[in-house]
Amino acid sequence: MVDHEALADALRALGMLYGGAGGVAEAARGAANEHEAIRAYILRERPHMLQSYDIDALVALVREAMRSGAGAHPSLEQFGPAR
């Protein structure tokens, strides 16, 4: 079972949650485990990050953020609203 709240907290702390079209639960629907849920979210909501990062490295980073407390990690992406 995937803890969608913990996953959302980790993604938010890493700067990877803002602007997602369908949210964590929708992107991770049908995932059998945490790894699959994170991978599905990245492929659906953050595919542009795969130009710079390996998907397995991103999954590992998000899983570590979930385990250690999401607030301790720097953002990978920064949101700056259009002016």
Side-chain angles (χ1 to χ4, degrees), residues 47-66:
H48 62 278
M49 293 186 74
L50 300 177
Q51 294 175 7
S52 300
Y53 301 99
D54 176 75
I55 192 161
D56 292 325
L58 288 171
V59 170
L61 183 66
V62 174
R63 290 181 81 187
E64 178 58 28
M66 289 175 72

Side-chain angles (χ1 to χ4, degrees), residues 1 18 32:
M1 180 171 198
Y18 182 83

Side-chain angles (χ1 to χ4, degrees), residues 5-43:
E5 189 69 31
L7 176 53
D9 288 344
L11 291 168
R12 187 176 299 108
L14 293 167
M16 296 173 63
L17 187 62
Y18 182 83
V24 174
E26 186 176 325
R29 184 179 305 136
N33 56 46
E34 187 178 273
H35 180 88
E36 284 184 17
I38 296 166
R39 187 177 180 87
Y41 179 84
I42 292 168
L43 290 171

